[in-house]
PDB file of all heavy atoms in Angstrom:
ATOM      1  N   ARG A 775     145.914  34.749  71.279  1.00 97.00           N
ATOM      2  CA  ARG A 775     144.810  35.700  71.326  1.00 97.00           C
ATOM      3  C   ARG A 775     144.780  36.561  72.579  1.00 97.00           C
ATOM      4  O   ARG A 775     144.573  37.766  72.522  1.00 97.00           O
ATOM      5  CB  ARG A 775     143.459  34.974  71.241  1.00 97.00           C
ATOM      6  CG  ARG A 775     142.970  34.689  69.856  1.00 97.00           C
ATOM      7  CD  ARG A 775     142.091  33.458  69.886  1.00 97.00           C
ATOM      8  NE  ARG A 775     142.922  32.319  70.258  1.00 97.00           N
ATOM      9  CZ  ARG A 775     143.615  31.614  69.385  1.00 97.00           C
ATOM     10  NH1 ARG A 775     143.524  31.866  68.125  1.00 97.00           N
ATOM     11  NH2 ARG A 775     144.412  30.625  69.780  1.00 97.00           N
ATOM     12  N   THR A 776     144.944  35.913  73.733  1.00 97.00           N
ATOM     13  CA  THR A 776     144.759  36.665  74.972  1.00 97.00           C
ATOM     14  C   THR A 776     145.807  37.780  75.066  1.00 97.00           C
ATOM     15  O   THR A 776     145.474  38.940  75.286  1.00 97.00           O
ATOM     16  CB  THR A 776     144.807  35.727  76.193  1.00 97.00           C
ATOM     17  OG1 THR A 776     143.849  34.694  75.999  1.00 97.00           O
ATOM     18  CG2 THR A 776     144.492  36.481  77.473  1.00 97.00           C
ATOM     19  N   ARG A 824     149.268  35.727  83.014  1.00 98.00           N
ATOM     20  CA  ARG A 824     148.820  34.363  82.689  1.00 98.00           C
ATOM     21  C   ARG A 824     149.846  33.386  83.241  1.00 98.00           C
ATOM     22  O   ARG A 824     151.054  33.612  83.098  1.00 98.00           O
ATOM     23  CB  ARG A 824     148.710  34.156  81.189  1.00 98.00           C
ATOM     24  CG  ARG A 824     148.726  32.664  80.846  1.00 98.00           C
ATOM     25  CD  ARG A 824     148.351  32.348  79.441  1.00 98.00           C
ATOM     26  NE  ARG A 824     146.944  32.631  79.192  1.00 98.00           N
ATOM     27  CZ  ARG A 824     146.325  32.238  78.083  1.00 98.00           C
ATOM     28  NH1 ARG A 824     146.973  31.568  77.154  1.00 98.00           N
ATOM     29  NH2 ARG A 824     145.049  32.525  77.902  1.00 98.00           N
ATOM     30  N   HIS A 852     139.508  31.977  83.914  1.00 98.00           N
ATOM     31  CA  HIS A 852     139.931  32.763  82.750  1.00 98.00           C
ATOM     32  C   HIS A 852     138.808  33.780  82.544  1.00 98.00           C
ATOM     33  O   HIS A 852     138.059  33.722  81.573  1.00 98.00           O
ATOM     34  CB  HIS A 852     140.104  31.832  81.557  1.00 98.00           C
ATOM     35  CG  HIS A 852     140.836  32.426  80.386  1.00 98.00           C
ATOM     36  ND1 HIS A 852     141.158  33.761  80.302  1.00 98.00           N
ATOM     37  CD2 HIS A 852     141.305  31.844  79.248  1.00 98.00           C
ATOM     38  CE1 HIS A 852     141.793  33.967  79.153  1.00 98.00           C
ATOM     39  NE2 HIS A 852     141.900  32.819  78.501  1.00 98.00           N
ATOM     40  N   GLN A 855     138.073  35.730  79.228  1.00 98.00           N
ATOM     41  CA  GLN A 855     137.547  34.895  78.145  1.00 98.00           C
ATOM     42  C   GLN A 855     136.040  34.702  78.332  1.00 98.00           C
ATOM     43  O   GLN A 855     135.271  34.808  77.367  1.00 98.00           O
ATOM     44  CB  GLN A 855     138.270  33.542  78.127  1.00 98.00           C
ATOM     45  CG  GLN A 855     137.833  32.623  76.993  1.00 98.00           C
ATOM     46  CD  GLN A 855     138.168  33.177  75.619  1.00 98.00           C
ATOM     47  OE1 GLN A 855     139.299  33.578  75.364  1.00 98.00           O
ATOM     48  NE2 GLN A 855     137.186  33.224  74.725  1.00 98.00           N
ATOM     49  N   ARG A 885     140.117  25.818  81.625  1.00 98.00           N
ATOM     50  CA  ARG A 885     139.707  26.995  82.426  1.00 98.00           C
ATOM     51  C   ARG A 885     138.726  27.858  81.649  1.00 98.00           C
ATOM     52  O   ARG A 885     137.872  28.512  82.245  1.00 98.00           O
ATOM     53  CB  ARG A 885     140.925  27.802  82.841  1.00 98.00           C
ATOM     54  CG  ARG A 885     141.731  28.315  81.657  1.00 98.00           C
ATOM     55  CD  ARG A 885     143.050  28.899  82.111  1.00 98.00           C
ATOM     56  NE  ARG A 885     143.896  29.180  80.975  1.00 98.00           N
ATOM     57  CZ  ARG A 885     145.219  29.191  81.014  1.00 98.00           C
ATOM     58  NH1 ARG A 885     145.851  28.935  82.138  1.00 98.00           N
ATOM     59  NH2 ARG A 885     145.914  29.477  79.932  1.00 98.00           N
ATOM     60  N   ALA A 886     138.855  27.864  80.305  1.00 98.00           N
ATOM     61  CA  ALA A 886     137.898  28.657  79.527  1.00 98.00           C
ATOM     62  C   ALA A 886     136.496  28.067  79.714  1.00 98.00           C
ATOM     63  O   ALA A 886     135.527  28.796  79.955  1.00 98.00           O
ATOM     64  CB  ALA A 886     138.296  28.692  78.056  1.00 98.00           C
ATOM     65  N   ARG A 947     139.140  22.429  73.551  1.00 98.00           N
ATOM     66  CA  ARG A 947     140.282  21.537  73.309  1.00 98.00           C
ATOM     67  C   ARG A 947     140.550  20.687  74.555  1.00 98.00           C
ATOM     68  O   ARG A 947     140.439  21.184  75.673  1.00 98.00           O
ATOM     69  CB  ARG A 947     141.497  22.441  73.025  1.00 98.00           C
ATOM     70  CG  ARG A 947     142.835  21.779  72.899  1.00 98.00           C
ATOM     71  CD  ARG A 947     143.893  22.843  72.592  1.00 98.00           C
ATOM     72  NE  ARG A 947     144.199  23.666  73.761  1.00 98.00           N
ATOM     73  CZ  ARG A 947     145.129  23.383  74.676  1.00 98.00           C
ATOM     74  NH1 ARG A 947     145.856  22.288  74.569  1.00 98.00           N
ATOM     75  NH2 ARG A 947     145.335  24.196  75.698  1.00 98.00           N
ATOM     76  N   GLN A 949     142.890  19.463  77.149  1.00 97.00           N
ATOM     77  CA  GLN A 949     144.049  20.240  77.611  1.00 97.00           C
ATOM     78  C   GLN A 949     145.248  19.332  77.890  1.00 97.00           C
ATOM     79  O   GLN A 949     145.620  19.072  79.039  1.00 97.00           O
ATOM     80  CB  GLN A 949     143.682  21.034  78.868  1.00 97.00           C
ATOM     81  CG  GLN A 949     142.403  21.867  78.718  1.00 97.00           C
ATOM     82  CD  GLN A 949     142.646  23.205  78.054  1.00 97.00           C
ATOM     83  OE1 GLN A 949     143.404  24.022  78.551  1.00 97.00           O
ATOM     84  NE2 GLN A 949     142.010  23.426  76.900  1.00 97.00           N
ATOM     85  N   PRO A 985     136.984  28.825  72.395  1.00 98.00           N
ATOM     86  CA  PRO A 985     137.915  29.876  72.829  1.00 98.00           C
ATOM     87  C   PRO A 985     139.192  29.904  71.982  1.00 98.00           C
ATOM     88  O   PRO A 985     139.915  30.901  72.002  1.00 98.00           O
ATOM     89  CB  PRO A 985     138.226  29.502  74.285  1.00 98.00           C
ATOM     90  CG  PRO A 985     137.954  28.031  74.383  1.00 98.00           C
ATOM     91  CD  PRO A 985     136.847  27.761  73.397  1.00 98.00           C
ATOM     92  N   LEU A 986     139.439  28.810  71.254  1.00 98.00           N
ATOM     93  CA  LEU A 986     140.641  28.623  70.454  1.00 98.00           C
ATOM     94  C   LEU A 986     141.875  28.633  71.371  1.00 98.00           C
ATOM     95  O   LEU A 986     141.811  29.243  72.425  1.00 98.00           O
ATOM     96  CB  LEU A 986     140.744  29.676  69.343  1.00 98.00           C
ATOM     97  CG  LEU A 986     139.530  29.734  68.379  1.00 98.00           C
ATOM     98  CD1 LEU A 986     139.721  30.869  67.368  1.00 98.00           C
ATOM     99  CD2 LEU A 986     139.350  28.403  67.636  1.00 98.00           C
ATOM    100  N   PRO A 987     142.934  27.968  71.068  1.00 98.00           N
ATOM    101  CA  PRO A 987     143.226  27.266  69.819  1.00 98.00           C
ATOM    102  C   PRO A 987     142.476  25.936  69.691  1.00 98.00           C
ATOM    103  O   PRO A 987     142.248  25.262  70.673  1.00 98.00           O
ATOM    104  CB  PRO A 987     144.736  26.993  69.947  1.00 98.00           C
ATOM    105  CG  PRO A 987     144.963  26.843  71.423  1.00 98.00           C
ATOM    106  CD  PRO A 987     144.017  27.831  72.057  1.00 98.00           C
TER     107      PRO A 987
HETATM  108  C1  LIG B1289     142.353  29.067  76.251  1.00 65.36           C
HETATM  109  C2  LIG B1289     143.271  29.052  77.444  1.00 65.36           C
HETATM  110  O1  LIG B1289     144.438  29.446  77.362  1.00 65.36           O
HETATM  111  O2  LIG B1289     142.768  28.706  78.473  1.00 65.36           O
HETATM  112  N1  LIG B1289     142.766  29.903  75.228  1.00 65.36           N
HETATM  113  C3  LIG B1289     142.366  31.228  75.240  1.00 65.36           C
HETATM  114  O3  LIG B1289     142.752  31.999  76.067  1.00 65.36           O
HETATM  115  N2  LIG B1289     141.518  31.617  74.278  1.00 65.36           N
HETATM  116  C4  LIG B1289     141.890  27.755  75.785  1.00 65.36           C
HETATM  117  C5  LIG B1289     142.874  26.641  75.502  1.00 65.36           C
HETATM  118  O4  LIG B1289     144.080  26.779  75.642  1.00 65.36           O
HETATM  119  O5  LIG B1289     142.383  25.568  75.101  1.00 65.36           O
END
Side-chain angles (χ1 to χ4, degrees):
R775 274 152 295 274
T776 305
R824 160 168 292 191
H852 194 351
Q855 182 64 50
R885 60 190 171 207
R947 173 179 73 89
Q949 309 277 300
L986 303 177

